[in-house]
Amino acid sequence: MRLYQKNWRKIFFFLIIVVFARVSAQNPEEYNKIYTKTYIDISQKDFPRALKIADSLFSISETPRFKVRSLMLSASLLQQSGDIKKAIGYAVTAQQISNESDDLIWKAKISGFLATQYRQLKLFEQSKKYIDETIEATKKIKDQKIIDQTMGFIMQEKAYYELEMKDYTKSISYVLEAQRYFDLNGQTNPFIFANNNQLLGLNYYYLKEYDKALGYYDIALKNLGQMPDNFMKALVINGIARIFIAKKDVGQAKKRLDEAKRLAEESSYLSLKSEIYETSQEYYSLIKDIDKLQETKVKQDSIIDKIETNSSSFISASVSKLIKNNDDIKKETEKKNIAIWIALLLIISGIVYFFLYRRKQKDNFNKFKQFMENQIKTQDLNFEIPPNNIDNELHHETNYDNRSEGSEQNTMMTPATEKKILLKLEKFEQSKLFTRSTVSLPYLASYCNTNTKYLSYVVNTYKKKDFKNYINELRIKYIIDKLKNDPQYHKYKISTLAEEVGFSSQSKFAAAFRKITELSPSQFIEHLKKSSNFQAK
């Protein structure tokens, strides 16, 4: 019957907690009361019950923020009990929820918590990474009071890190910086101030400034005031005991140590127990109680083994997995970012290419237009050469006498011979003989009834080019004329056009075409088509 009553009381009490939590969890003020009482008071006296309350808070939470807070309450409790693996697991789950809801405040808090866990595991690189994440999240928060509060916690974490590194002066500077931020925030939570003063006391203890350390510990006890017994109070009293041990004040040391032991025995906080056992060994060493010293050492070793087992298990089984997951997420994010940048570059490249292409097209069309205008204006560019007759001979004679200054007169050639060669060339230009692939300087000299020397002289002097370029120009002008006047030629391949006018290869034809028109054959045909369509309209 008594057992039934005992079990019923437990069930009834749990139901009350759940119902109270359901009503209160959605109200920030009421939720904070449950959270604080569970974390500071209940966890000290009944750890399993505290965990159940935290789980209940999560099950009835209706918003991401309350879910995250309940998960972080569980994580904090599990961290105290030494179950690092579960503590970080809860924190990572909370982090995922906060990421989905884009809750910057809790992003910062969770990153700070993870920084602490990895620091305690001596994984300082991971710890620094989470501190950096906390700072980055804090930069995006708009509420200055929350920024100040978060920065205060960051400074506290940095102080703990420097304490681990045995740089006590630097640790003190971070504690004071944390206090400055809390003052800016208007912080009134006595637990936070007690934590700061406990940290200052511990640093000054290690610096052997015992009176200063004792002063800060006394302030910490005043901060805690009428709060229920908790692990912070135990740490403060333990710190005072260590100072009296250092001062060899056995009476005061025993009084404080006994009180700290009582609080530690009630707690599931493994690190706290280890600290108390460490101080106990210092005390028993002072009073030379070897048996008690050995007994306490065994107890501490047992606690340390448990902490290290949990830590080692986590490091070997979980950290590598978490780091891999984080790396995978990072790589996936990097891939997405790379894909986005590639897409942007392609778009930008496409736009640039489009404008450059349009500009090139415009330039090409201007070149085409200029060429066509010059062809109309300049006889040299017009393939329609007037027939050779007597009426034009005077015209030719006039032109022949207007040779450019500086052209060296071939004294072996008479003006009559020059005229005859020029008339023959005119006849040659009106023919299609230049389209033959076999045409050569000797062939044309034979056609003009002269020798190659005279012919070269006349071509160079009057046509202002060498034989090869002279023939190429005739061929290109001929094919342009065909393209202009016969649309059928637009359908021919470039190689066919090249073959028709006697070029041995398409590349030579294209090079000669570009030299004369500044356009490739295909570009010229494209603009010619556009021009023809425009005129047709």
Side-chain angles (χ1 to χ4, degrees):
M1 184 68 178
R2 286 180 180 176
L3 180 62
Y4 175 78
Q5 287 177 340
K6 188 176 181 181
N7 288 337
W8 169 247
R9 282 175 186 171
K10 285 184 177 179
I11 294 168
F12 180 72
F13 177 78
F14 184 70
L15 287 174
I16 289 174
I17 289 291
V18 171
V19 171
F20 177 65
R22 182 175 291 278
V23 173
S24 305
Q26 313 312 310
N27 182 305
E29 189 176 340
E30 291 299 325
Y31 186 96
N32 288 338
K33 289 179 182 178
I34 299 172
Y35 189 102
T36 304
K37 185 172 179 62
T38 304
Y39 181 63
I40 295 175
D41 184 15
I42 299 175
S43 66
Q44 183 73 18
K45 298 171 184 176
D46 190 344
F47 184 76
R49 182 174 140 217
L51 277 178
K52 285 181 181 178
I53 292 172
D55 287 339
S56 298
L57 287 174
F58 176 76
S59 65
I60 57 94
S61 292
E62 296 176 359
T63 65
R65 172 165 283 203
F66 284 115
K67 286 180 179 179
V68 166
R69 289 200 69 183
S70 60
L71 286 169
M72 289 308 297
L73 174 59
S74 297
S76 300
L77 294 172
L78 288 163
Q79 180 261 331
Q80 289 183 18
S81 71
D83 196 338
I84 302 296
K85 184 176 180 180
K86 280 188 178 179
I88 291 183
Y90 272 93
V92 169
T93 302
Q95 189 179 48
Q96 290 169 350
I97 295 172
S98 69
N99 286 340
E100 289 171 5
S101 62
D102 201 26
D103 190 331
L104 294 170
I105 296 170
W106 272 99
K107 274 184 185 179
K109 289 182 179 180
I110 295 166
S111 294
F113 175 86
L114 290 169
T116 300
Q117 307 319 302
Y118 284 109
R119 171 180 53 78
Q120 291 176 347
L121 288 166
K122 313 296 183 188
L123 298 172
F124 298 119
E125 284 299 318
Q126 284 296 103
S127 177
K128 184 178 181 303
K129 171 194 164 189
Y130 281 110
I131 286 177
D132 291 341
E133 283 188 12
T134 307
I135 293 170
E136 284 304 310
T138 305
K139 287 178 181 176
K140 298 175 184 176
I141 297 172
K142 295 180 180 178
D143 189 326
Q144 189 58 47
K145 282 194 172 184
I146 294 174
I147 292 173
D148 292 334
Q149 178 179 313
T150 308
M151 288 304 297
F153 288 125
I154 290 171
M155 292 303 115
Q156 271 190 352
E157 175 55 33
K158 287 187 174 185
Y160 276 114
Y161 173 80
E162 295 303 335
L163 187 64
E164 291 267 3
M165 297 294 105
K166 299 185 179 354
D167 191 339
Y168 307 119
T169 304
K170 197 168 184 179
S171 179
I172 289 170
S173 70
Y174 278 127
V175 177
L176 296 175
E177 187 69 6
Q179 189 60 55
R180 186 179 72 82
Y181 277 114
F182 290 138
D183 290 341
L184 288 171
N185 167 255
Q187 184 60 248
T188 58
N189 189 331
F191 190 83
I192 291 174
F193 293 130
N195 190 12
N196 262 8
N197 287 308
Q198 184 268 335
L199 255 175
L200 288 169
L202 187 56
N203 276 298
Y204 281 115
Y205 165 78
Y206 283 121
L207 289 171
K208 297 184 180 180
E209 296 186 37
Y210 300 127
D211 291 337
K212 215 169 194 179
L214 191 59
Y216 281 111
Y217 279 132
D218 286 340
I219 294 171
L221 283 178
K222 289 177 184 176
N223 292 142
L224 292 169
Q226 300 302 312
M227 290 178 71
D229 290 341
N230 56 72
F231 69 90
M232 182 58 67
K233 188 175 182 180
L235 284 173
V236 171
I237 294 171
N238 180 66
I240 295 172
R242 293 182 81 176
I243 290 171
F244 285 122
I245 290 169
K247 288 186 170 188
K248 303 190 186 318
D249 188 336
V250 175
Q252 286 292 337
K254 185 178 186 308
K255 178 184 174 183
R256 303 294 180 165
L257 184 58
D258 287 346
E259 190 177 357
K261 278 183 182 177
R262 179 185 63 78
L263 293 172
E265 290 303 323
E266 294 175 358
S267 174
S268 296
Y269 200 160
L270 294 184
S271 294
L272 172 63
K273 290 179 184 289
S274 180
E275 285 282 330
I276 304 299
Y277 289 140
E278 181 71 29
T279 306
S280 297
Q281 289 174 66
E282 291 176 9
Y283 172 75
Y284 292 128
S285 178
L286 176 65
I287 65 173
K288 296 183 171 45
D289 188 335
I290 305 303
D291 291 337
K292 285 284 186 182
L293 175 65
Q294 188 62 35
E295 181 186 332
T296 308
K297 181 73 168 65
V298 170
K299 287 181 179 179
Q300 187 191 27
D301 288 345
S302 175
I303 293 292
I304 290 172
D305 285 344
K306 190 172 182 180
I307 292 171
E308 287 182 350
T309 299
N310 288 338
S311 299
S312 299
S313 171
F314 174 75
I315 290 168
S316 60
S318 301
V319 170
S320 57
K321 182 180 178 181
L322 286 170
I323 291 172
K324 183 180 182 300
N325 288 341
N326 286 338
D327 287 344
D328 289 343
I329 292 168
K330 187 177 179 182
K331 286 177 183 176
E332 191 63 31
T333 303
E334 285 176 353
K335 284 180 182 177
K336 288 179 180 178
N337 288 339
I338 289 169
I340 290 169
W341 278 110
I342 289 173
L344 285 172
L345 284 172
L346 287 173
I347 292 169
I348 293 168
S349 298
I351 293 170
V352 171
Y353 175 80
F354 173 76
F355 281 111
L356 289 176
Y357 175 77
R358 288 292 299 273
R359 185 176 176 180
K360 187 175 177 66
Q361 287 290 87
K362 188 176 180 181
D363 289 344
N364 287 341
F365 183 73
N366 289 336
K367 288 176 184 177
F368 169 80
K369 190 176 178 182
Q370 187 65 40
F371 176 82
M372 298 303 285
E373 288 174 357
N374 290 342
Q375 192 178 29
I376 293 168
K377 291 177 182 178
T378 309
Q379 182 181 349
D380 189 46
L381 292 175
N382 190 345
F383 188 76
E384 295 298 327
I385 301 172
N388 183 20
N389 54 45
I390 301 300
D391 294 334
N392 286 320
E393 285 185 12
L394 290 175
H395 163 75
H396 289 300
E397 186 169 359
T398 303
N399 284 339
Y400 301 151
D401 290 337
N402 288 334
R403 287 174 284 191
S404 63
E405 290 184 18
S407 62
E408 193 175 333
Q409 176 72 35
N410 191 327
T411 55
M412 296 183 295
M413 191 189 314
T414 64
T417 303
E418 285 184 18
K419 187 184 294 187
K420 286 179 183 179
I421 294 172
L422 285 166
L423 288 170
K424 278 289 187 180
L425 285 178
E426 214 171 286
K427 186 177 180 182
F428 173 75
E429 289 169 8
Q430 292 174 47
S431 72
K432 291 170 51 179
L433 294 174
F434 51 79
T435 62
R436 294 180 181 180
S437 60
T438 55
V439 70
S440 63
L441 183 62
Y443 169 84
L444 186 55
S446 176
Y447 176 85
C448 295
N449 297 318
T450 187
N451 56 48
T452 55
K453 186 176 180 181
Y454 284 1
L455 178 61
S456 293
Y457 171 79
V458 171
V459 169
N460 290 335
T461 303
Y462 294 98
K463 300 299 180 180
K464 307 302 180 187
K465 53 184 69 70
D466 61 19
F467 174 77
K468 179 184 175 183
N469 286 314
Y470 169 63
I471 296 297
N472 283 350
E473 187 173 292
L474 290 173
R475 289 171 171 176
I476 298 303
K477 290 176 184 176
Y478 175 82
I479 205 65
I480 287 173
D481 187 66
K482 289 294 184 182
L483 289 167
K484 281 170 53 183
N485 299 313
D486 189 348
Q488 185 65 30
Y489 272 75
H490 299 174
K491 302 175 184 178
Y492 293 163
K493 292 181 179 180
I494 304 301
S495 58
T496 303
L497 298 177
E499 187 178 349
E500 176 156 343
V501 288
F503 282 94
S504 59
S505 70
Q506 182 176 326
S507 61
K508 288 181 180 179
F509 170 68
F513 200 99
R514 186 179 288 278
K515 186 174 182 180
I516 293 168
T517 65
E518 295 188 26
L519 298 168
S520 68
S522 56
Q523 289 171 339
F524 187 89
I525 293 168
E526 181 185 347
H527 290 302
L528 194 61
K529 286 179 182 177
K530 288 179 181 178
S531 179
S532 299
N533 291 336
F534 180 78
Q535 288 173 3
K537 290 179 183 179

